[in-house]
Amino acid sequence: MESGYAEFSTRRVAKAAGISVGNLAYHFPSKQDLLRAVVSQLVDEYSTQFTAILTRPDVPAATEDLGTLIEWLLTETLSRDTVHIFRELWAISLHDEATRLAMDALYDDLMEGVVQLLIRYYPDVEIQAIRELAQVLALISEGTIVLYGTNRDRAVSHERIVELAVSLIKTMKLDLRLPKQVHE
């Protein structure tokens, strides 16, 4: 988190943990083993935090206003920790299969969390429509990290992008008011 992958070394980790490099190597024989453990821990922590966030009572209720929920999600995405963690993990996943698999599983879990949140508010809507909405929200969220995570001074403000995302999603052919079809 503090120095990124470029500064990641067994010596720095051992020093931060207050142990010898040899002791660290006993538990993690290679830098790759250590990296995978760190990635696994980060993924687990982020997934747990996101699940906790989605169940908080202050998370905007989609039934009150889907736009408010979208605004909240796209603002939460720009927290310093989220931006730093995800940019590092994306880079690592390009070169490490275990990290890529962990990231893919994390995205599946996070999107499923959003699906479950939306199902609470729209219990009578087709699950496919809800999954499509969750996927679109994930795409917009990840783009938000890339474009606004480290530079908020763009030609189009983040606030305007959020407004456009809300407008886009509200006009999508995902009619969240329609009940599920009864299949025979």
Side-chain angles (χ1 to χ4, degrees), residues 113-155:
V114 172
V115 165
Q116 294 307 313
L117 176 68
L118 292 169
I119 286 172
R120 285 193 325 219
Y121 299 120
Y122 300 108
D124 297 330
V125 173
E126 286 280 349
I127 188 70
Q128 186 60 29
I130 289 176
R131 289 193 187 291
E132 290 169 0
L133 175 57
Q135 189 79 31
V136 169
L137 287 171
L139 290 170
I140 294 170
S141 171
E142 294 309 296
T144 299
I145 292 173
V146 171
L147 292 176
Y148 294 94
T150 57
N151 181 3
R152 307 249 174 127
D153 187 28
R154 298 275 179 197

Side-chain angles (χ1 to χ4, degrees), residues 106 130 174:
L106 174 64
I130 289 176
L174 299 174

Side-chain angles (χ1 to χ4, degrees), residues 151-178:
N151 181 3
R152 307 249 174 127
D153 187 28
R154 298 275 179 197
V156 179
S157 71
H158 177 253
E159 293 77 18
R160 178 64 180 144
I161 292 300
V162 171
E163 290 171 9
L164 290 170
V166 169
S167 177
L168 170 71
I169 289 169
K170 285 184 172 182
T171 60
M172 289 174 62
K173 294 185 180 188
L174 299 174
D175 195 339
L176 296 174
R177 295 164 296 180
L178 293 177

Side-chain angles (χ1 to χ4, degrees), residues 13 19 21 23-24 31 48-49 59 66 74 88 103-105 112-113 115 119 122 126 137 157:
V13 171
I19 61 174
V21 174
N23 194 3
L24 181 68
K31 181 179 174 179
T48 299
Q49 287 175 356
V59 172
L66 182 59
L74 295 181
E88 291 292 337
M103 290 297 292
D104 287 344
E112 186 59 28
V115 165
I119 286 172
Y122 300 108
E126 286 280 349
L137 287 171
S157 71

